[in-house]
Amino acid sequence: MRILLFVLSTAITLALIFALSRSWGSIPPLGKLLSPQQGFWQNAEPVGNPPDENIVVNGVKGKVDVYMDERLVPHVFAEYDEDAWYVQGYLHAKYRLWQMEFQTIAASGRISEKLGNDPRFLRFDREQRRLGMVHAAELATQEIQADQQSRDAYEAYAAGVNAYIYHLTEASLPLEYKILNYKPERWSVLKSALFLKQMSKTLAGHDRDLEFTNMKNVFSEEEMSMLFPQVPDALVPIVPEGTGFAAPGIIPVKPASADSLYFKKDSFFINAEETGKPDRNNGSNSWIVNGSKTKSGAPILANDPHLELSLPSIWYEIQITTPNMNVYGASFPGTPCVIIGFNDNVAFGFTNAQRDVKDYYYVEFKDDSKKEYWFNNTWQAATLRIDTFRIKGAADFYDTVAYTVFGPVMYDQSFSTKNTEGRSIAVKWTAQEPSNEGLMWIKLNQASSYSDFESAIKTFKTPGQNMGFASKSGDIALWQQAKFPARWKGQGSYIMPGADSSYMWQGYIPQVENPHVINPSSGFIQSANQRPVDSTYPYFIPGNYITARGVAIHRQLDSMQGITPSDMMKLQLNVHSVFAEGASKLLLQYVNEERLDEKERAYVSVIRSWDHNTDPNSTAPTIFQTWWDSLEHLVWYDEISRVPYKVAYPDEQTLYELLIKDSAMRFVDNINTPHKDSLQELVTLAIQKATATLATSEAEGRLAWWKHKSPTIYHILKDAFLPFGRTGLEVGGWSNTINAITTSHGPSWRMIVHLTDTTEAFGIYPGGQSGNPGSRFYDQFIDKWAAGTYYSLWMMKPGETTDKRIISKLSFTNS
């Protein structure tokens, strides 16, 4: 009997050892995950301050001291620039390794390899490869390596990341590696280039060519211009209206066949959809005021980039000091340098240009081998790239991507589209061309004057950015910078014929002709993702512009005088909707209250007394937005639903401007009914339909604005890691307000820099310095960010090493 029990217990023990040491589907080996010695328990950090460390590495030339302050912001003091980049890489890895690596895994189309066998993952991966992300990063790596300054910075950074990875143990792996059951790879310059290419996609990837191609087969050219105007009536451009522009340095010529071959309606509709399409609201606010408008007489620069809010945060705060620079600000884990920040002489910030720098072309292959395609009256050889996709828990998948004179073929019969009639679609994107974006930030970090700034930004090719600048010498400026194609009117709005070279880009807008403002007489510059210039600019510059925030910022700055940093904070936190000012007036003008019941009239009454502030606990923004959304559906759906596949809807600003110009404009009438609809009927019906939704929300206690929009900061892996996010943030704002917080999108880094003799700076982002959910520094800043408070940004001096704000010190020496 004892032998039987022994055998039985041994068998159970062996079975448990076997079961706990292997993965079961998406479940990692539970033995390792639950192990007290190396499992998730080891990711719980002590409550106290981190200890001092003396770190011996093989990679620094001199001594580097890092002082961690009470917010875990590192203040790096190095004798050589390369040592500073090395230590920045080490620190990024120490606090954000999983995040920075996973972002490059996603950029390179490899999430199936880490997350498992899911058709959604493989589709995303194939899309990334077919867009040419890896190839583009390989070209960028070559450019980085070809320049001594950028090569030194990026190789030193990679060496610092690898120095940290080399010393990682099973116990010290970031938690996500343990849960997903894989280990970090060696870092490289290519990985940093991949991160920068993903940034390019995030900020310049919301094109609408496929949608517009479908829509132009239903709508006339005049109607498309109504639905998607190039210059909104309310536009307040970045470059002041009335500014004179020089004659264009390049005049692209429209092909003779454009009217008959390109603009004409077609019976062909595209059933293709980009799954990884970036959020249209990936934008920002930035403004700069000079000394004539400030209380101190010194310039102030404010910037708050609007991105998907995530944990770990996209930003990592840092100060870097060497004999060549003393710079502070927000950095990207994955690349060297401060991205948005200031040094002893200047401040710099960015907003998204929203410009379209990606076009699509029909390509005809000779046969299914895709070895040759028709171009300029002959069969041209395509370059075939065979991609291998490793899939966790499944066999490898292989995909053949053909590269043409335009770029890679993104859509064909084997991927993403079910209705091509044998036509394949290639994509041409400025990010696919050789470039070295990182060099700009190296130069900006060390800039001391406007001429340094102007020289630095010329190295930047993509994505299009509005680059704001201020200096202690009093200069303020903004350049919209990138390599922008020079287009004939309408070029790139739709998929273009690719049978010959006549529809290719004929050149690029000369850099000196990019929109820019230098020391304007108004004393301020504002940028909020709007079209940068009025209609007199001599180039066709399509884009996905946003108008309302620019109007609001300009209105405020134009009336302000004696400005202080506190005033700038209030402006960044402003939740007043200038769009709702006009749109609610229109709704109230046309609603027929005699046809409403008591509940409907009660909601209308709330709007009538509304101050147009999107405060978190106000019910008016919920009522207004639901009402307006209902009206948009009634106006657009009957016409747009005629398009069988993917479409784009006009902006809310467009509908408002059309209606105030002509309340009986053609889209008001429902084409599916014999009755001739009026705007009064639609506005009234809209509140009636909205009331059903609103009443349900009210009954559930979700009518307050913050509850309605449910602001959430998700973990990067979204719902799969929901406990590692933050839900239910009581914040106001909306996409059309200066404080542009939506459901999971908004100001990802608020910064204000006052360029007095001793720089005064303030900032905050919705996250924390550590990427470890088990650390008190993981989401430390979120509550203060939600409350609208700021931290003073401490530009530490070498003599302040005993300051009480310092909680630990890391010293790096060479082995």
Side-chain angles (χ1 to χ4, degrees):
M1 187 66 180
R2 283 182 296 174
I3 295 175
L4 178 62
L5 290 174
F6 173 75
V7 170
L8 182 61
S9 64
T10 301
I12 293 172
T13 300
L14 291 173
L16 284 172
I17 291 171
F18 174 76
L20 294 175
S21 64
R22 60 166 295 176
S23 299
W24 297 90
S26 61
I27 301 173
L30 292 177
K32 285 200 300 184
L33 183 64
L34 300 176
S35 166
Q37 287 76 34
Q38 59 186 18
F40 75 92
W41 313 96
Q42 293 294 320
N43 296 97
E45 293 184 1
V47 175
N49 293 331
D52 293 349
E53 296 182 61
N54 291 308
I55 302 168
V56 179
V57 292
N58 182 19
V60 295
K61 295 186 289 185
K63 193 171 186 297
V64 185
D65 289 325
V66 180
Y67 299 90
M68 309 298 294
D69 71 22
E70 61 207 351
R71 297 192 294 114
L72 210 64
V73 175
H75 304 263
V76 180
F77 291 85
E79 297 170 347
Y80 301 93
D81 291 352
E82 294 81 7
D83 288 355
W85 307 138
Y86 181 101
V87 170
Q88 185 180 19
Y90 188 98
L91 292 168
H92 279 170
K94 180 177 175 67
Y95 293 107
R96 301 292 190 83
L97 179 60
W98 178 83
Q99 167 199 1
M100 57 194 274
E101 185 184 45
F102 188 80
Q103 288 171 332
T104 66
I105 287 170
S108 58
R110 294 175 53 206
I111 66 171
S112 297
E113 182 180 327
K114 307 302 180 184
L115 299 185
N117 186 17
D118 187 313
R120 297 171 300 170
F121 301 158
L122 181 59
R123 179 183 171 85
F124 174 85
D125 288 342
R126 294 182 69 190
E127 190 174 275
Q128 293 288 87
R129 306 271 187 102
R130 284 174 166 259
L131 183 56
M133 294 286 282
V134 176
H135 182 60
E138 290 168 348
L139 294 177
T141 300
Q142 294 173 14
E143 294 293 305
I144 291 170
Q145 299 283 10
D147 177 87
Q148 180 74 44
Q149 195 174 14
S150 60
R151 179 172 70 248
D152 289 348
Y154 277 77
E155 287 185 349
Y157 180 88
V161 175
N162 289 326
Y164 180 77
I165 292 174
Y166 179 78
H167 293 288
L168 271 177
T169 64
E170 191 80 35
S172 59
L173 279 174
L175 182 59
E176 290 90 347
Y177 286 113
K178 296 177 182 179
I179 294 174
L180 297 172
N181 193 30
Y182 70 96
K183 292 183 178 179
E185 303 165 350
R186 184 175 177 79
W187 195 263
S188 64
V189 176
L190 175 63
K191 285 185 178 289
S192 291
L194 280 164
F195 175 85
L196 291 173
K197 290 304 173 184
Q198 183 61 40
M199 178 190 71
S200 294
K201 180 185 177 184
T202 298
L203 297 177
H206 197 91
D207 56 89
R208 298 175 290 183
D209 303 36
L210 305 184
E211 293 90 337
F212 283 2
T213 298
N214 287 336
M215 296 180 75
K216 65 110 170 173
N217 294 333
V218 170
F219 296 101
S220 68
E221 190 173 342
E222 178 195 2
E223 288 172 329
M224 288 296 290
S225 295
M226 288 179 65
L227 297 174
F228 306 101
Q230 285 296 309
V231 185
D233 295 340
L235 174 69
V236 179
I238 297 169
V239 179
E241 288 184 288
T243 298
F245 299 106
I250 178 174
I251 302 176
V253 179
K254 184 175 77 170
S257 62
D259 290 333
S260 60
L261 192 62
Y262 174 64
F263 287 111
K264 76 175 183 66
K265 291 187 177 182
D266 193 345
S267 60
F268 176 68
F269 292 90
I270 302 297
N271 185 13
E273 184 175 350
E274 189 176 347
T275 58
K277 196 162 191 170
D279 193 319
R280 185 220 175 192
N281 290 311
N282 285 335
S284 306
N285 297 324
S286 182
W287 55 85
I288 315 110
V289 294
N290 69 17
S292 70
K293 290 186 73 70
T294 64
K295 185 176 181 179
S296 67
I300 300 176
L301 180 145
N303 192 197
D304 57 297
H306 304 158
L307 297 167
E308 190 72 12
L309 304 180
S310 63
L311 287 169
S313 170
I314 190 172
W315 302 109
Y316 179 82
E317 216 172 312
I318 192 170
Q319 177 187 348
I320 301 171
T321 302
T322 74
N324 295 317
M325 62 183 158
N326 182 30
V327 61
Y328 188 112
S331 66
F332 282 142
T335 64
C337 302
V338 165
I339 304 301
I340 296 175
F342 58 97
N343 61 28
D344 289 334
N345 300 289
V346 307
F348 46 91
F350 299 84
T351 65
N352 203 23
Q354 309 291 117
R355 295 270 289 272
D356 181 8
V357 291
K358 187 197 294 180
D359 285 343
Y360 296 84
Y361 294 84
Y362 290 120
V363 173
E364 179 188 355
F365 285 110
K366 187 175 184 179
D367 52 43
D368 289 344
S369 72
K370 298 188 282 190
K371 292 180 179 179
E372 294 179 292
Y373 64 99
W374 187 252
F375 183 74
N376 281 345
N377 298 313
T378 186
W379 292 108
Q380 298 279 349
T383 300
L384 298 182
R385 181 169 177 146
I386 300 175
D387 280 323
T388 302
F389 297 83
R390 310 291 183 198
I391 302 174
K392 185 177 180 179
D396 292 349
F397 181 89
Y398 300 94
D399 191 17
T400 301
V401 182
Y403 279 74
T404 69
V405 66
F406 306 107
V409 172
M410 189 163 182
Y411 302 111
D412 57 26
Q413 292 288 354
S414 69
F415 178 70
S416 194
T417 178
K418 304 171 185 175
N419 184 29
T420 63
E421 297 181 359
R423 288 187 268 191
S424 300
I425 302 170
V427 57
K428 183 174 181 59
W429 179 31
T430 56
Q432 295 164 344
E433 300 178 7
S435 62
N436 183 2
E437 277 67 44
L439 182 59
M440 179 195 71
W441 277 296
I442 297 170
K443 292 178 178 292
L444 274 185
N445 283 197
Q446 300 178 6
S448 61
S449 65
Y450 171 74
S451 61
D452 290 344
F453 165 77
E454 188 178 24
S455 174
I457 66 173
K458 290 178 181 178
T459 66
F460 191 91
K461 303 296 176 59
T462 186
Q465 293 289 289
N466 301 309
M467 302 181 175
F469 169 86
S471 73
K472 289 189 177 180
S473 65
D475 290 320
I476 65 171
L478 182 144
W479 277 82
Q480 186 166 98
Q481 174 60 29
K483 191 176 182 182
F484 295 117
R487 290 182 164 103
W488 39 267
K489 186 177 180 181
Q491 184 179 15
S493 297
Y494 316 116
I495 303 173
M496 292 186 283
D500 57 39
S501 59
S502 60
Y503 287 84
M504 296 181 72
W505 296 344
Q506 298 170 27
Y508 296 90
I509 298 173
Q511 191 273 337
V512 71
E513 296 180 42
N514 283 342
H516 60 277
V517 186
I518 306 169
N519 294 325
S521 58
S522 64
F524 70 90
I525 304 168
Q526 55 83 22
S527 166
N529 315 122
Q530 72 269 53
R531 179 185 162 97
V533 288
D534 63 22
S535 60
T536 63
Y537 188 64
Y539 293 100
F540 175 66
I541 54 168
N544 210 333
Y545 304 115
I546 302 169
T547 302
R549 283 185 283 107
V551 174
I553 295 167
H554 186 277
R555 179 196 293 183
Q556 293 291 322
L557 291 176
D558 192 47
S559 64
M560 295 172 72
Q561 207 65 37
I563 298 172
T564 66
S566 178
D567 295 327
M568 297 292 89
M569 293 177 193
K570 291 175 184 176
L571 187 51
Q572 283 189 334
L573 300 171
N574 186 295
V575 295
H576 185 81
S577 173
V578 295
F579 170 75
E581 275 184 27
S584 62
K585 182 178 179 181
L586 182 141
L587 294 174
L588 294 171
Q589 177 183 349
Y590 284 97
V591 67
N592 183 354
E593 293 194 57
E594 293 181 359
R595 293 179 53 191
L596 303 182
D597 62 24
E598 183 179 356
K599 191 70 171 177
E600 293 158 356
R601 284 196 298 272
Y603 288 141
V604 171
S605 178
V606 172
I607 299 302
R608 199 175 297 281
S609 60
W610 185 31
D611 61 6
H612 309 114
N613 291 332
T614 57
D615 295 317
N617 286 296
S618 173
T619 60
T622 306
I623 297 167
F624 166 76
Q625 197 62 52
T626 307
W627 189 359
W628 188 262
D629 290 347
S630 179
L631 177 64
E632 284 188 312
H633 182 80
L634 291 171
V635 171
W636 300 130
Y637 184 73
D638 55 311
E639 277 93 359
I640 291 181
S641 63
R642 293 180 294 162
V643 183
Y645 297 122
K646 187 68 175 176
V647 298
Y649 272 79
D651 296 341
E652 59 185 10
Q653 184 75 32
T654 299
L655 177 57
Y656 169 67
E657 292 184 1
L658 287 172
L659 293 177
I660 60 173
K661 283 188 291 189
D662 180 8
S663 62
M665 63 98 176
R666 69 185 69 179
F667 295 108
V668 168
D669 181 48
N670 188 334
I671 61 174
N672 296 322
T673 65
H675 176 71
K676 179 73 173 179
D677 296 293
S678 68
L679 181 56
Q680 183 184 68
E681 289 172 317
L682 261 62
V683 169
T684 304
L685 180 59
I687 187 60
Q688 291 172 333
K689 288 181 173 293
T691 295
T693 300
L694 293 167
T696 299
S697 295
E698 187 174 12
E700 295 173 350
R702 294 186 294 105
L703 201 59
W705 181 234
W706 76 271
K707 293 182 179 179
H708 172 78
K709 65 175 184 171
S710 186
T712 299
I713 302 176
Y714 289 97
H715 184 274
I716 289 172
L717 292 182
K718 297 290 187 179
D719 291 341
F721 280 63
L722 190 59
F724 297 158
R726 287 284 298 274
T727 61
L729 298 175
E730 192 173 331
V731 291
W734 194 235
S735 58
N736 55 32
T737 69
I738 298 173
N739 190 9
I741 304 173
T742 60
T743 299
S744 61
H745 198 275
S748 60
W749 163 245
R750 293 183 180 128
M751 182 187 76
I752 295 163
V753 183
H754 189 197
L755 289 165
T756 46
D757 290 341
T758 299
T759 304
E760 186 182 21
F762 305 89
I764 193 167
Y765 65 85
Q769 289 287 91
S770 175
N772 177 15
S775 169
R776 65 186 171 97
F777 298 104
Y778 177 68
D779 58 358
Q780 180 187 21
F781 309 152
I782 290 179
D783 292 336
K784 287 184 177 294
W785 174 88
T789 58
Y790 291 71
Y791 293 108
S792 178
L793 306 183
W794 178 35
M795 182 72 94
M796 180 183 167
K797 299 180 176 64
E800 296 179 313
T801 58
T802 59
D803 191 283
K804 65 180 181 180
R805 287 170 284 193
I806 297 169
I807 61 172
S808 69
K809 178 184 177 184
L810 283 65
S811 295
F812 291 79
T813 54
N814 197 43
S815 58

